[in-house]
Amino acid sequence: MMRAGAVLFLVWVLAISRFSDGYYPRDSYLIDCGSSSNTTVGGRVFVADSLTLKLLSTSLNVLARASGSAGSSDVSQLYQTARIFTSTSTYTFSISQGGRHWIRLHFAPFDFNGYKMSMANFAVSAGGFVLLSDFSTTSTVMKEFSLNVTSGTLRVIITPSSNSIAFLNALEVVSLSDTLIQDSASLLPSGKYQGLLQTAIETVWRINMGGPTVSSGNDTLSRTWIPDQSFIVSHNLATNSSNIGAVNYVSGGPTPDTAPSTVYGTCTEMNSAGNPNSNFNVTWEFDVNVGFQHLVRFHFCDIVSKALNQLYFNVYMDTSSVVTDLDLSTLSFNVLGAPYYLDLVTSISASNKMRVIVGPYTANGAYPNAILNGLEIMKLNNSVGSLSGDTGVSPSGGAGGNNTGVIVGVVVGVLCSVIFAGFILLYCRRRQQRLASQGLSKSWIPLSTNGGTSHTMGSKYSNGTTITVASNLWYRFQFVAVQDATNNFDESWVIGIGGFGKVYRGEFVDGTKVAVKRGNVHSQQGLAEFRTEIEMLSQFRHRHLVSLIGYCDEKNEMILIYEYMENGTLKSHLYGSGLPSLSWKERLEICIGAARGLHYLHTGYAKAVIHRDVKSANILLDENLMAKVADFGLSKTGPEIDQTHVSTAVKGSFGYLDPEYFRRQQLTEKSDVYSFGVVLLEVLCARPVIDLTLPREKVNLAEWAMKWQKKGQLVQIIDPTLVGKIKPDSLRKYGETAEKCLADFGVDRPSMGDVLWNLEYALQLQEAVIPGDPEENSANMIGELSPLVNNFSREDTSISTTQFEVSSVDDLSMSKVFSQLVKSEGR
Ligand SMILES: *[C@@H]1O[C@H](CO)[C@@H](O)[C@H](O)[C@H]1NC(C)=O
Ligand SMILES: *[C@@H]1O[C@H](CO)[C@@H](O)[C@H](O)[C@H]1NC(C)=O
Ligand SMILES: *[C@@H]1O[C@H](CO)[C@@H](O)[C@H](O)[C@H]1NC(C)=O
Ligand SMILES: *[C@@H]1O[C@H](CO)[C@@H](O)[C@H](O)[C@H]1NC(C)=O
Ligand SMILES: *[C@@H]1O[C@H](CO)[C@@H](O)[C@H](O)[C@H]1NC(C)=O
Ligand SMILES: *[C@@H]1O[C@H](CO)[C@@H](O)[C@H](O)[C@H]1NC(C)=O
């Protein structure tokens, strides 16, 4: 399906050094999930996630970064980032040569504000085998599998459990030498096992007896071998030897690909302590899953004898004898120090402990000793093609390889249909269009991606596909959890009502306070707006934008869950609620915060995003009165304004609406600037923007205030509680700013960035004691304040500390989804 694209594909790395017997993996995909840069581990390059997007089909790209600083090792570097999967996602690898391939899945759950990846629960399947199901991990683990890929593609499918997510820190798909796993092995207790070529294998334990950890960088097949100390049952009975130089690979025998000399060159042996009458066993015990057969590979190499024919010993598994009178000299071509291995398939395990035992063979009078150099315990897929411990015993409905499609289908259907169907559809359609236009029918077209390493907005937004978002992961909640949090939608917990539905205060069991917006199921626009809001808020995260914590789409519900804003709306602090009035400085700071949020929306992405419903009721205040802009895409339509017989409904709130937009239906970010100008007046005058109870000339705040502003008498109509508290210069700057925002034509209005600058200036004028002529100050201040402006931009771009990045799958399909909200670049 994607062969042509894959041939061109960058990750397709041919040459990897240090394959000592000349083995080069034909296929080698190493992906550093979530990372914007390549990471080298043990000489191998894990490629930046952004370069591997075309391998992945997923509904939403969520990239996570650990908040702590990376450890010093290159492995911990690899584990600093992860990709989060919110729905079933598939990596499709083009396989150039069939045969056994490693699939290594790296998991390092880290915490970030509000979400622990250790709580993620998910399944992974590949090549028709279930590798993991109902999987979660609280610690860093690498899961290694290998399977014989017989078709040209290998799909690795990641499926979050219902109401959960999945994550992955790194992924490897690498071909391995065909000779490593043979088709047959001895079967315990007797006979031969045939069919390993068709078997999927999970490495359960890979042990270097009597030696230290051998890391992937020191193994030709990038395997990791761990020491055996913690598995030895009676430590006093065992000791270790090391003589790596004695290892003598002979042709026809095992190679360094079988196991490196660092494994064959160390062993654990009987601690006979010079006593020629010693007769005891050395025992190791390993945890295994019940219900599976295991392939156990014993690695031997006589590095302890001075000459041939000195060492004879027995090998047991649990209570069964594997070999009696094992004579390595004859088994290894009569070469001392030549490696030898023995494969054994166990019967289906009934116990979760597996014992491996070596003991002396004493019948021939040789000095009592027994050794083991290395051990691999590999789980074989069960009869339904699963390697997952939990499905091993009772293969419930979905676990079987043949059912994978069904599970995936169902999960995709249930999990994603509501939220993502449109998105995926657009994405596919867009892709088809591109394919068609380029005359390519069966390849993947590279998407423009952020290949750089920089985390600043500048670089991100210059190519516009990666958007930085803040701390919280948006998350799909269960309806019962939401019910619980809102006291079953207690009417007395309602904190707001909008066109879309009611907003409830809520608190989850862990104490997280939230605002829960429950959509009215009968609202026609509801679903589209619901989707828009989720998409918007999951992609645009900023200190001055209200963040979405999650959503719930169970039972046709359309519920959005936001961070709780302690101090409610800006509007409620201005009039009508009896709250204590805000000081001028507080008001300026709130306006500055809101302006920052809007500035980010307008400029933080390649295409300006237009809020369309800027008003004081959509500016929320947290416990520190920090302003955050809320309500994207779910504009409360309020009075219907669509009287223009134009098909596109003009959206926005009466009193704030840009007259130019109203006239021409041309949406630009300057419409938000206009609305924000109205908010500025509302903040200054503390009255509703439309007040029908007032005399005619006062009804519309914008008109009325502009009359006074033009006369230079704005001070006459300000909030009585501010009288005498605003420095004239500050008020003048503020009034001018509002006036410019309210210019009749968009082109005459300042950008949100200019507005922000002017408000900062108004705050400076209020705070600072500046002697002399204000006009002169104005001029001087520009120079003086430019660092401030720089500070602002630096501050707003330094999002590198935030923990998520979300990139659109395809910025063009994004623009379709948001065609109403996103200004096209050309405009
Ligand atoms: C990352 O690795 C890929 C594949 O090896 C290579 O093509 C790309 O140039 C590398 N990118 C960087 C930034 O090093
Ligand atoms: C993979 O399976 C095919 C078909 O069953 C077999 O011919 C081939 O030898 C196998 N290869 C390996 C490396 O297991
Ligand atoms: C070797 O044995 C000694 C003493 O029993 C022990 O302290 C040491 O950790 C062992 N080394 C390895 C690599 O197992
Ligand atoms: C490989 O082994 C050598 C010595 O045994 C060690 O110094 C080196 O750090 C190891 N390399 C890796 C990548 O583990
Ligand atoms: C070693 O273990 C085997 C298997 O459990 C047992 O049959 C044998 O008697 C043991 N030998 C000694 C000396 O304990
Ligand atoms: C492993 O899966 C394959 C394919 O589904 C099957 O033919 C084989 O019997 C399974 N192995 C075991 C040990 O059940």
Side-chain angles (χ1 to χ4, degrees):
M1 166 177 179
M2 43 171 288
R3 200 165 293 159
V7 169
L8 302 170
F9 189 54
L10 290 164
V11 184
W12 204 67
V13 183
L14 269 173
I16 290 200
S17 56
R18 285 190 276 119
F19 283 85
S20 47
D21 72 340
Y23 172 72
Y24 297 100
R26 290 290 200 101
D27 303 303
S28 179
Y29 297 92
L30 309 178
I31 302 175
D32 185 359
C33 302
S35 176
S36 54
S37 55
N38 291 349
T39 303
T40 304
V41 178
R44 300 190 306 154
V45 178
F46 283 75
V47 174
D49 191 303
S50 51
L51 297 178
T52 61
L53 269 184
K54 67 195 73 173
L55 297 177
L56 176 64
S57 133
T58 189
S59 52
L60 190 70
N61 292 322
V62 185
L63 313 183
R65 178 177 298 281
S67 49
S69 60
S72 53
S73 89
D74 46 6
V75 178
S76 70
Q77 201 66 43
L78 190 63
Y79 293 162
Q80 285 300 298
T81 58
R83 177 176 271 276
I84 286 176
F85 305 92
T86 55
S87 63
T88 297
S89 304
T90 305
Y91 279 98
T92 306
F93 298 98
S94 168
I95 299 300
S96 61
Q97 189 174 28
R100 197 162 278 279
H101 285 65
W102 298 119
I103 298 173
R104 295 193 177 105
L105 308 170
H106 298 255
F107 304 104
F110 47 76
D111 288 2
F112 30 84
N113 306 1
Y115 193 83
K116 291 178 172 9
M117 286 204 290
S118 53
M119 283 161 61
N121 188 288
F122 54 99
V124 180
S125 66
F129 294 97
V130 175
L131 308 184
L132 300 169
S133 72
D134 197 17
F135 174 77
S136 59
T137 178
T138 53
S139 57
T140 297
V141 288
M142 190 272 284
K143 291 281 184 182
E144 184 184 271
F145 305 89
S146 76
L147 48 93
N148 180 359
V149 183
T150 49
S151 74
T153 53
L154 174 67
R155 290 193 177 76
V156 177
I157 301 165
I158 300 157
T159 306
S161 303
S162 147
N163 198 29
S164 191
I165 58 154
F167 72 97
L168 196 52
N169 299 73
L171 172 62
E172 303 177 37
V173 171
V174 182
S175 41
L176 64 91
S177 75
D178 286 344
T179 52
L180 190 72
I181 306 279
Q182 308 285 348
D183 192 53
S184 60
S186 307
L187 183 64
L188 208 71
S190 66
K192 217 169 179 61
Y193 183 91
Q194 215 113 24
L196 285 173
L197 294 189
Q198 277 69 52
T199 306
I201 289 172
E202 176 183 348
T203 307
V204 183
W205 299 110
R206 181 177 286 132
I207 313 289
N208 178 20
M209 266 67 193
T213 297
V214 175
S215 62
S216 61
N218 276 351
D219 181 282
T220 54
L221 299 182
S222 305
R223 294 163 297 196
T224 301
W225 303 74
I226 61 169
D228 68 330
Q229 283 290 311
S230 56
F231 303 95
I232 298 175
V233 174
S234 296
H235 279 98
N236 57 322
L237 300 182
T239 183
N240 53 48
S241 285
S242 173
N243 189 357
I244 291 167
V247 179
N248 192 351
Y249 292 102
V250 291
S251 117
T255 69
D257 283 350
T258 318
S261 58
T262 41
V263 171
Y264 280 123
T266 65
C267 70
T268 291
E269 59 178 326
M270 272 179 75
N271 186 11
S272 318
N275 178 357
N277 299 318
S278 300
N279 190 6
F280 54 83
N281 288 333
V282 179
T283 305
W284 296 261
E285 188 175 82
F286 300 93
D287 288 340
V288 294
N289 284 141
V290 173
F292 288 89
Q293 289 187 278
H294 290 84
L295 170 63
V296 182
R297 176 169 288 188
F298 299 83
H299 295 275
F300 299 108
C301 182
D302 187 355
I303 54 161
V304 297
S305 300
K306 301 280 176 289
L308 288 168
N309 306 316
Q310 290 183 344
L311 177 67
Y312 302 89
F313 60 99
N314 302 332
V315 182
Y316 314 89
M317 287 269 325
D318 298 316
T319 52
S320 307
S321 171
V322 176
V323 204
T324 307
D325 189 16
L326 183 74
D327 176 7
L328 288 176
S329 301
T330 46
L331 290 170
S332 54
F333 312 94
N334 280 315
V335 175
L336 191 63
Y340 171 77
Y341 73 85
L342 179 68
D343 278 353
L344 191 73
V345 172
T346 65
S347 47
I348 293 177
S349 48
S351 155
N352 60 357
K353 300 283 181 201
M354 179 185 284
R355 285 194 164 207
V356 170
I357 302 161
V358 295
Y361 178 76
T362 47
N364 61 4
Y367 182 80
N369 199 1
I371 65 167
L372 185 57
N373 303 66
L375 186 76
E376 291 173 272
I377 299 177
M378 298 169 263
K379 198 199 304 190
L380 308 183
N381 69 267
N382 63 16
S383 56
V384 294
S386 175
L387 281 162
S388 163
D390 298 309
T391 54
V393 243
S394 60
S396 59
N402 294 339
N403 294 331
T404 308
V406 178
I407 324 170
V408 167
V410 169
V411 174
V412 170
V414 172
L415 239 171
C416 313
S417 56
V418 180
I419 305 300
F420 299 117
F423 188 70
I424 292 168
L425 203 79
L426 283 166
Y427 171 59
C428 294
R429 191 178 302 153
R430 176 70 210 166
R431 215 175 69 202
Q432 278 165 7
Q433 283 167 3
R434 281 204 203 168
L435 294 173
S437 71
Q438 301 185 17
L440 297 168
S441 57
K442 289 204 165 180
S443 73
W444 286 56
I445 302 304
L447 305 172
S448 67
T449 58
N450 173 31
T453 56
S454 167
H455 285 264
T456 63
M457 242 191 212
S459 74
K460 283 219 167 77
Y461 295 102
S462 54
N463 57 24
T465 54
T466 304
I467 304 145
T468 306
V469 297
S471 49
N472 289 320
L473 175 67
W474 62 286
Y475 189 64
R476 187 170 182 267
F477 283 86
Q478 266 174 333
F479 185 67
V480 286
V482 183
Q483 256 180 324
D484 228 42
T486 55
N487 200 20
N488 198 15
F489 301 100
D490 192 328
E491 285 302 306
S492 67
W493 290 27
V494 171
I495 50 176
I497 301 176
F500 177 77
K502 288 178 179 168
V503 184
Y504 299 82
R505 173 166 56 86
E507 187 167 344
F508 284 108
V509 269
D510 67 350
T512 312
K513 281 186 173 179
V514 291
V516 175
K517 183 149 74 178
R518 188 184 194 190
N520 182 347
V521 187
H522 305 296
S523 148
Q524 277 209 325
Q525 279 170 320
L527 189 58
E529 295 185 343
F530 179 65
R531 286 179 188 153
T532 307
E533 178 119 14
I534 291 178
E535 285 289 348
M536 297 296 288
L537 279 177
S538 57
Q539 312 238 11
F540 291 82
R541 297 230 172 182
H542 187 271
R543 210 154 27 98
H544 293 289
L545 300 181
V546 165
S547 30
L548 184 68
I549 291 172
Y551 66 95
C552 170
D553 59 352
E554 254 172 57
K555 303 182 180 168
N556 286 331
E557 289 284 348
M558 293 184 290
I559 295 172
L560 295 168
I561 300 150
Y562 304 88
E563 62 178 313
Y564 186 69
M565 299 294 283
E566 200 77 42
N567 274 309
T569 67
L570 167 61
K571 186 176 182 173
S572 69
H573 289 263
L574 294 175
Y575 49 87
S577 66
L579 291 171
S581 75
L582 300 166
S583 73
W584 181 235
K585 185 182 173 209
E586 282 168 338
R587 294 184 204 207
L588 278 173
E589 282 170 346
I590 289 165
C591 291
I592 288 168
R596 277 207 179 138
L598 290 172
H599 176 61
Y600 170 76
L601 276 185
H602 290 173
T603 60
Y605 187 55
K607 299 179 188 69
V609 171
I610 300 161
H611 186 285
R612 286 203 301 176
D613 200 11
V614 175
K615 57 183 179 182
S616 59
N618 280 342
I619 295 170
L620 302 184
L621 304 176
D622 75 2
E623 67 276 20
N624 303 315
L625 292 178
M626 186 166 95
K628 299 195 184 204
V629 178
D631 221 339
F632 306 83
L634 289 184
S635 46
K636 296 159 193 145
T637 37
E640 260 316 323
I641 312 181
D642 188 16
Q643 305 152 337
T644 48
H645 307 291
V646 190
S647 55
T648 340
V650 175
K651 290 202 166 190
S653 292
F654 199 50
Y656 295 92
L657 200 65
D658 170 13
E660 190 179 44
Y661 173 39
F662 190 71
R663 279 195 306 270
R664 302 172 52 199
Q665 279 85 56
Q666 192 185 22
L667 190 61
T668 74
E669 60 268 42
K670 294 296 177 67
S671 301
D672 284 350
V673 174
Y674 182 93
S675 307
F676 191 72
V678 179
V679 171
L680 291 180
L681 294 177
E682 212 180 342
V683 165
L684 180 68
C685 306
R687 52 149 283 187
V689 293
I690 300 288
D691 188 343
L692 295 168
T693 64
L694 293 172
R696 196 170 166 42
E697 75 276 13
K698 295 186 183 178
V699 166
N700 185 324
L701 171 62
E703 275 174 28
W704 191 54
M706 278 309 103
K707 271 190 200 129
W708 290 96
Q709 166 64 17
K710 296 219 160 81
K711 286 191 272 182
Q713 290 294 311
L714 196 56
V715 69
Q716 300 296 328
I717 59 160
I718 66 171
D719 182 352
T721 66
L722 291 177
V723 169
K725 308 233 170 87
I726 309 181
K727 295 227 173 107
D729 291 346
S730 180
L731 180 59
R732 191 168 44 78
K733 192 78 216 160
Y734 188 88
E736 282 168 15
T737 307
E739 185 180 2
K740 285 186 196 135
C741 290
L742 295 176
D744 274 346
F745 297 99
V747 288
D748 300 328
R749 293 173 206 150
S751 70
M752 238 21 252
D754 295 334
V755 173
L756 180 56
W757 192 92
N758 280 291
L759 291 174
E760 294 266 15
Y761 188 17
L763 179 60
Q764 292 274 319
L765 291 171
Q766 177 71 15
E767 298 266 276
V769 184
I770 304 164
D773 183 295
E775 279 309 318
E776 213 172 279
N777 282 329
S778 272
N780 292 340
M781 286 299 280
I782 290 167
E784 263 171 62
L785 283 181
S786 39
L788 183 79
V789 175
N790 290 341
N791 279 343
F792 145 69
S793 42
R794 199 176 313 129
E795 183 182 6
D796 268 29
T797 53
S798 63
I799 321 254
S800 51
T801 49
T802 58
Q803 291 145 332
F804 284 92
E805 294 157 30
V806 174
S807 57
S808 71
V809 171
D810 179 334
D811 53 331
L812 288 160
S813 67
M814 288 284 292
S815 73
K816 287 202 167 182
V817 172
F818 304 131
S819 56
Q820 290 257 309
L821 286 125
V822 177
K823 193 190 85 167
S824 78
E825 271 173 318
R827 222 176 265 173

